[in-house]
Structures are given as C-alpha cells and as structure tokens.
C-alpha cells in the first residue's frame, strides 16, 4: 500500500507542476550578413539581410545605422542614415532583407550599424557592426575614341595639316559625374572643356569643332591625348597618334574655258562691246594637299570724269566657297552660274570702263594674300554708230556698182520696158545692236507716189553684220510711164539706227527724162 500511494503522489505532484507557467528567460537572437569594417563607395550596393528570432514572440525589432559620431557633423552635411522600428511583431521570426545604394556626395567615414531585438518577456539583445564609406575611386570610361577632320573632303583622315580643324570623337561616362574633358596635342598643355557634372559626355558635341592643329607643328607623327576627369578627381587618359603632313606647295591653276571661245591674251585684258557676254564655264585648280577655299572679287572701274580726277570704283562683295579639301576642283561647278558671267550694260557704258576679276584659291596652309590667283580685266570698247556698206545695186537683175550721191541716168534703160526694179546688196555693221533700218524711195515730183518703210523690231537682227538684201527683201520700182513729163530725180535713202540712237545712211540718185507723147 505504501508503494502504491507513493506512486500516486508522485503522479499528482508532477501534474501540478506541469500546470504552472514558467518565466521566459531565453534571449531573442539576431543575425546579419553585414561585414564589419567593410568599405563601400558612392553608388555601391549595400546589402542588409537580418533575421530576428525568439523562442516565444518578438515584440519589437529595430534596425539603425548612422555615422559614428553624428554630434560632430555639421547640420548641412549629408550623411548616410537609416532607422526602422518594427513594433508588436508577435511572431517568432522576422526577416529584414533589402539593398541600399550608397548615395553620391554623402559624408565619408566610419558608420555604426545597430540591430536590436526584444521579446514579449522583455528579453533584449543588441548587436552592432561598423562599416566605412569612402569617396568615389572609380575612373571615367572612354569609348569609341577617334580623331577626324572637320573638312568634309578629308575623308580618309590619314593626315592633317597645320591650322586644320579637327573633331575628337569619344563617348565618356562616369559612375558619378564628370567634371571636365581635356585634349592635348603634341604633349602641349591640355585644353579643358567643362562637363557640367553630368555622367555622360559626347566629346564631339562638347568641344564643338574648337580644336585646330597648331601652326607651329612640323610635318610628323604626334600624340593626341584625351583626358577625362570626374568631380572627385579620378582621371583616365587615352592617347592616339595623328599624322601632320601638310602640302607646302600652293594650289596650281590648270585651265579655263570661256563659253563663246573668247581667249584671254597675255596682257590679261579682254575687250568687249557693251552687251557682249564673257562667261567662264570652266576654271580648274589642283592641289596635292587639298584645296581649302576659293574667293571671287569683282571691281567695276568707271572712266575718270576729267584729267587728273580719280576714276570711280565699285567693289562688289567678295564671294567665298568652301572647297572641302578636294585635290582638284572646277570652280565653275561650285560658284553660281551668274557669278562667272560678266558684261557691260548696253546703254549706259562708256568706252574704257573696266571690270577687274580676281579669283584666288588657297589650300589649308595659306592666307588669302599667299593664295594662287587667276586675274584678268574686261574693258569696254567704244560703241560706234552703225556702218552701211553697199556692195552693189541690182538693176533689173544685174549687179552694178553705183557711187553714192552720184546721179545715175536710167532714161535709155527704160526704152521698151514698163519699169525698172532696183534692189540693194550690202551689209550693215553694228557692234552692239540695231534698233531699226528705214528706207525711202521718193522723187522730186509730187505726182509720183513715194515708197517708205522701216524694220523697227530689234529681234529681227539676230546676227551681225546684217545682210541688207535678205533683211529688206524690197525692190524699188521706176515706172516707164508716170503721169509726168520732163526730168525726174528719184532718190533712194537707207538709214540704220542703233539702240543708242546713233545712225548711218546712204543715198542714191537716179534720173529719168520723160518725153511728152507725140500726137
């Protein structure tokens, strides 16, 4: 009985003990993967993975990091800081897993990370770690670096010349921000261009065609260095070689051609009548090192109003064209057609007026004063009055020389005929342009009807000299039996007038004696 009672007592006691709540004396735990004293840099990833655990229930967990001694930091200083409290968690495990990016420009130094965990039994644990933030140490990156000529004609970019504009092509990037881009040619002091703190730069756009090969460089191979610097002083340099090889010979004039075949004589003076055109339809220059540009200068020089007074001069605005570094160029193809056409005004030109034409072509080595030139002058001829030159009169189909202003007796030639026809063969010489050809065939007896007319359309006179016979195409008739008796004088007059109103005329007289008919 005693053994049985002891067993029951022990069972009853153990049952009583199991119903009593025991005090929670187990501390919560916290683990993290943050490596103590590790250095992070601007824009680095800062991963944080923390596990909060407790055997019962977590009540509050906290994550916090800040610079080690914040009280020593000025209020306007940017620091890398974070604080997060998880309250009333009521779970046995809490996972905090995230990745921060270290901001640019934050205060560098040693940072403290504090992690705490408290359970419902007020058991508390704190874990600390330290990490460091250092300034940016990553250099910029240069990609697709090359050097090309700004002259479109220099397509190969195998050689550059003194004073030639160049383009530096490159894409520069930085993890934070770029401060400036520098370019150095032939180990000279770099020329810097500010990048305005952006992280990507197209060097060609930044430099904007402001780089030239120095005039002081001799022909040879030189280093061209591209330097990129970020806002924290990290730099990178890349170097390429450029070949400076200038053509030291001036451009060479090759040939010219005038549209109508007019030749420029050795004295370089071409004489033209007013209205006559001088048109260059070809003017060729070559240069082994490449033609840079061409300039057309035209001066119009009038006639001095009197002896001792200067002649008036009008200088037209020079015209320049870019020849883009080609080795051969026909300038007639790059200037406008009107630029290469020259003439004197039909009506308002005085003899001796001059057009001075100066066409200069230079290569990249030259100034305009050193350039090769093609010069000539056009001088206006005097516009004289037209000249009528009669070769023969054609009397009834027979050519006959008749002196002007003499009187030719035709009485006997009318015997047995009804009439005599008189035509004219000859030419009118004119230098500029005819306005009209007038004719009249009159007699000294008013009973005989006069004949007159005019060709006053200048478009009829398409070429000079003008053929009178084919142009007039008119025969003048003397009748054998007019209503008069006695001696009659017939007068044929031809007058040529040019567009300036200058004239020339010829006159021929014919005599016929009419006898009164016998009854």
């Amino acid at each position: 009985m005693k053994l049985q009672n002891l067993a029951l007592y022990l069972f009853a006691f153990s049952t009583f003990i199991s119903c009593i709540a025991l005090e929670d004396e187990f501390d919560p735990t916290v683990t993290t993967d943050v490596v103590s004293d590790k250095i992070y840099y601007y824009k680095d990833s800062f991963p944080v993975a923390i596990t909060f655990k407790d055997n019962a229930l977590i009540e509050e967990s906290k994550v916090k990091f800040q610079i080690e001694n914040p009280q020593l930091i000025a209020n306007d200083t940017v620091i890398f800081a974070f604080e997060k409290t998880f309250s009333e968690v009521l779970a046995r495990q809490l996972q905090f897993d995230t990745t921060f990016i270290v901001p640019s420009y934050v205060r560098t130094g040693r940072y403290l990370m504090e992690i705490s965990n408290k359970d419902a039994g007020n058991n508390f644990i704190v874990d600390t770690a330290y990490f460091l933030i250092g300034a940016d140490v990553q250099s910029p990156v240069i990609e697709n670096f090359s050097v090309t000529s700004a002259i479109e004609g220099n397509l190969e970019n195998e050689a550059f010349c003194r004073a030639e504009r160049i383009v530096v092509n490159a894409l520069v990037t930085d993890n934070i921000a770029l401060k400036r881009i520098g370019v150095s040619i032939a180990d000279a002091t770099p020329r810097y261009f500010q990048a305005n703190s952006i992280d990507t730069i197209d060097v060609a756009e930044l430099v904007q065609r402001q780089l030239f090969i120095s005039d002081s460089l001799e022909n040879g191979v030189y280093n061209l260095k591209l330097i990129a610097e970020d806002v924290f002083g990290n730099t990178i340099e890349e170097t390429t070689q450029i070949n400076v090889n200038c053509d030291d010979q001036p451009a060479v004039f090759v040939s010219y051609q005038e549209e109508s075949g007019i030749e420029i004589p050795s004295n370089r003076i071409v004489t033209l009548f007013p209205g006559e055109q001088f048109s260059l339809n070809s003017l060729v220059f070559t240069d082994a090192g490449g033609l840079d540009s061409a300039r057309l200068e035209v001066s119009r020089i009038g006639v001095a109003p009197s002896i001792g007074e200067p002649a008036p001069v009008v200088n037209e605005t020079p015209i320049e064209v870019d020849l883009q570094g080609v080795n051969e160029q026909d300038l007639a193809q790059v200037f406008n057609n009107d630029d290469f056409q020259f003439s004197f005004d039909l009506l308002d030109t005085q003899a001796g007026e001059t057009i001075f034409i100066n066409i200069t072509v230079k290569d990249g080595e030259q100034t305009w004063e050193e350039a090769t030139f093609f010069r000539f002058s056009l001088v206006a001829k005097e516009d004289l009055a037209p000249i009528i030159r009669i070769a023969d009169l054609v009397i009834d189909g027979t050519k006959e020389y008749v002196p002007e202003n003499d009187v030719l007796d035709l009485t006997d030639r009318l015997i047995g005929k009804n009439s005599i026809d008189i035509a004219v063969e000859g030419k009118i010489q004119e230098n500029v342009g005819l306005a009209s050809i007038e004719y009249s065939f009159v007699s000294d007896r008013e009973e005989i009807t006069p004949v007159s007319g005019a060709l006053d359309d200048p478009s009829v006179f398409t070429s000079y000299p003008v053929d009178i016979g084919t142009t007039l195409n008119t025969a003048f008739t003397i009748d054998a039996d007019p209503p008069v008796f006695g001696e009659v004088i017939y007068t044929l007059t031809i007058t040529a007038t040019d567009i300036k109103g200058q004239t020339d005329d010829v006159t021929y007289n014919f005599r016929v004696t009419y006898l009164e008919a016998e009854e």
Side-chain angles (χ1 to χ4, degrees):
M1 287 293 295
K2 289 182 179 180
L3 292 173
Q4 184 178 9
N5 290 335
L6 178 61
L8 289 172
Y9 173 79
L10 292 174
F11 173 76
F13 180 79
S14 63
T15 302
F16 173 77
I17 292 299
S18 67
C19 293
I20 297 174
L22 299 178
E23 183 178 356
D24 181 10
E25 295 180 354
F26 294 97
D27 291 334
T29 62
V30 59
T31 58
T32 178
D33 62 352
V34 175
V35 179
S36 184
D37 290 331
K38 182 176 179 178
I39 301 176
Y40 297 91
Y41 297 99
Y42 294 155
K43 291 195 176 180
D44 276 355
S45 296
F46 177 59
V48 177
I50 305 172
T51 303
F52 301 92
K53 286 185 178 181
D54 189 67
N55 64 316
L57 294 176
I58 300 170
E59 183 176 273
E60 181 181 275
S61 299
K62 183 181 292 186
V63 181
K64 177 181 179 181
F65 59 79
Q66 63 181 20
I67 198 161
E68 185 176 18
N69 297 303
Q71 67 275 10
L72 303 179
I73 306 302
N75 291 333
D76 59 351
T77 302
V78 179
I79 60 173
F80 185 34
F82 177 80
E83 183 173 350
K84 178 69 175 180
T85 300
F86 301 95
S87 302
E88 300 179 2
V89 177
L90 302 179
R92 291 184 177 181
Q93 180 170 317
L94 175 65
Q95 191 73 31
F96 180 78
D97 193 353
T98 192
T99 299
F100 297 92
I101 303 298
V102 179
S104 305
Y105 310 110
V106 297
R107 178 63 180 262
T108 60
R110 195 168 189 238
Y111 280 73
L112 168 66
M113 182 171 186
E114 184 178 276
I115 306 166
S116 63
N117 192 8
K118 184 178 76 170
D119 65 13
N122 286 324
N123 298 303
F124 185 76
I125 190 172
V126 176
D127 190 19
T128 59
Y130 292 91
F131 63 92
L132 298 145
I133 294 180
D136 177 41
V137 294
Q138 186 171 333
S139 297
V141 176
I142 297 175
E143 298 178 296
N144 303 322
F145 176 34
S146 66
V147 181
T148 57
S149 174
I151 300 175
E152 295 182 10
N154 189 0
L155 301 179
E156 294 79 12
N157 296 298
E158 294 177 352
F160 303 91
C161 191
R162 288 173 284 278
E164 183 171 342
R165 183 185 292 116
I166 61 173
V167 178
V168 175
N169 305 287
L171 183 67
V172 181
T173 57
D174 187 68
N175 63 317
I176 306 297
L178 293 162
K179 179 181 180 182
R180 58 182 183 173
I181 302 296
V183 179
S184 172
I185 302 175
D187 298 324
T189 301
R191 179 180 179 185
Y192 284 98
F193 301 86
Q194 297 305 310
N196 298 323
S197 298
I198 59 178
D199 58 9
T200 301
I201 287 290
D202 183 320
V203 175
E205 291 184 1
L206 176 68
V207 174
Q208 288 289 322
R209 298 162 65 95
Q210 298 180 58
L211 294 174
F212 295 83
I213 302 296
S214 172
D215 289 333
S216 64
L217 294 182
E218 300 293 334
N219 288 354
V221 178
Y222 297 90
N223 288 331
L224 186 146
K225 184 186 299 181
L226 178 63
I227 306 164
E229 180 182 344
D230 69 13
V231 293
F232 295 102
N234 302 304
T235 62
I236 187 174
E237 297 180 0
E238 287 199 17
T239 301
T240 189
Q241 290 187 323
I242 59 172
N243 182 18
V244 176
N245 186 10
C246 294
D247 169 30
D248 296 322
Q249 299 299 317
V252 176
F253 162 68
V254 177
S255 64
Y256 80 92
Q257 183 176 355
E258 199 279 329
E259 190 172 64
S260 302
I262 299 174
E263 295 286 342
I264 299 176
S266 59
N267 64 1
R268 316 304 289 173
I269 297 175
V270 178
T271 56
L272 298 177
F273 285 108
E276 189 177 359
Q277 292 281 338
F278 184 95
S279 302
L280 283 172
N281 59 0
S282 178
L283 183 60
V284 179
F285 283 82
T286 63
D287 187 82
L291 297 167
D292 178 80
S293 50
R295 175 189 285 175
L296 171 64
E297 297 171 289
V298 178
S299 299
R300 295 183 177 268
I301 306 168
V303 177
S306 61
I307 297 175
E309 293 189 34
V313 178
V314 176
N315 295 315
E316 297 183 0
T317 303
I319 301 172
E320 292 184 17
V321 293
D322 186 357
L323 301 182
Q324 303 179 351
V326 298
N327 299 115
E328 180 173 306
Q329 182 64 63
D330 186 341
L331 298 185
Q333 297 176 359
V334 293
F335 282 96
N336 293 326
N337 289 337
D338 292 344
D339 296 336
F340 271 14
Q341 293 184 356
F342 311 96
S343 64
F344 294 99
D345 186 81
L346 280 171
L347 299 177
D348 297 329
T349 298
Q350 291 180 273
E353 287 186 19
T354 300
I355 303 174
F356 177 70
I357 297 105
N358 182 35
I359 301 165
T360 49
V361 179
K362 70 183 183 73
D363 61 24
E365 286 290 278
Q366 297 174 311
T367 63
W368 286 115
E369 289 72 21
E370 301 167 333
T372 303
F373 58 84
F374 180 78
R375 297 170 181 166
F376 61 97
S377 296
L378 305 176
V379 177
K381 294 181 182 179
E382 184 179 1
D383 179 16
L384 300 174
I387 300 174
I388 303 175
R389 301 185 185 279
I390 304 298
D392 297 293
L393 298 182
V394 182
I395 302 175
D396 266 356
T398 301
K399 293 182 179 181
E400 184 174 342
Y401 172 72
V402 178
E404 187 180 349
N405 294 319
D406 283 1
V407 178
L408 178 64
D409 194 301
L410 298 177
T411 302
D412 292 343
R413 300 190 193 192
L414 277 171
I415 297 173
K417 296 180 179 180
N418 293 325
S419 64
I420 291 176
D421 289 333
I422 301 171
V424 179
E425 279 195 356
K427 297 183 183 297
I428 301 176
Q429 181 64 50
E430 167 57 30
N431 299 318
V432 177
L434 282 178
S436 65
I437 300 176
E438 300 177 25
Y439 58 89
S440 66
F441 189 65
V442 301
S443 69
D444 58 356
R445 301 290 290 272
E446 62 182 18
E447 295 91 342
I448 300 175
T449 304
V451 176
S452 63
L455 299 175
D456 52 10
D457 180 2
S459 65
V460 173
F461 315 121
T462 56
S463 62
Y464 296 95
V466 175
D467 187 283
I468 299 175
T470 56
T471 303
L472 285 180
N473 194 26
T474 301
F476 304 97
T477 301
I478 296 178
D479 289 333
D481 189 19
V484 296
F485 300 100
E487 183 180 277
V488 177
I489 300 297
Y490 293 89
T491 301
L492 171 62
T493 302
I494 298 174
T495 302
T497 305
D498 68 14
I499 60 174
K500 293 183 72 172
Q502 301 176 112
T503 63
D504 187 29
D505 57 61
V506 294
T507 300
Y508 294 93
N509 298 303
F510 308 95
R511 181 175 54 235
V512 176
T513 302
Y514 295 101
L515 299 177
E516 186 175 356
E518 296 181 359
E519 295 183 359

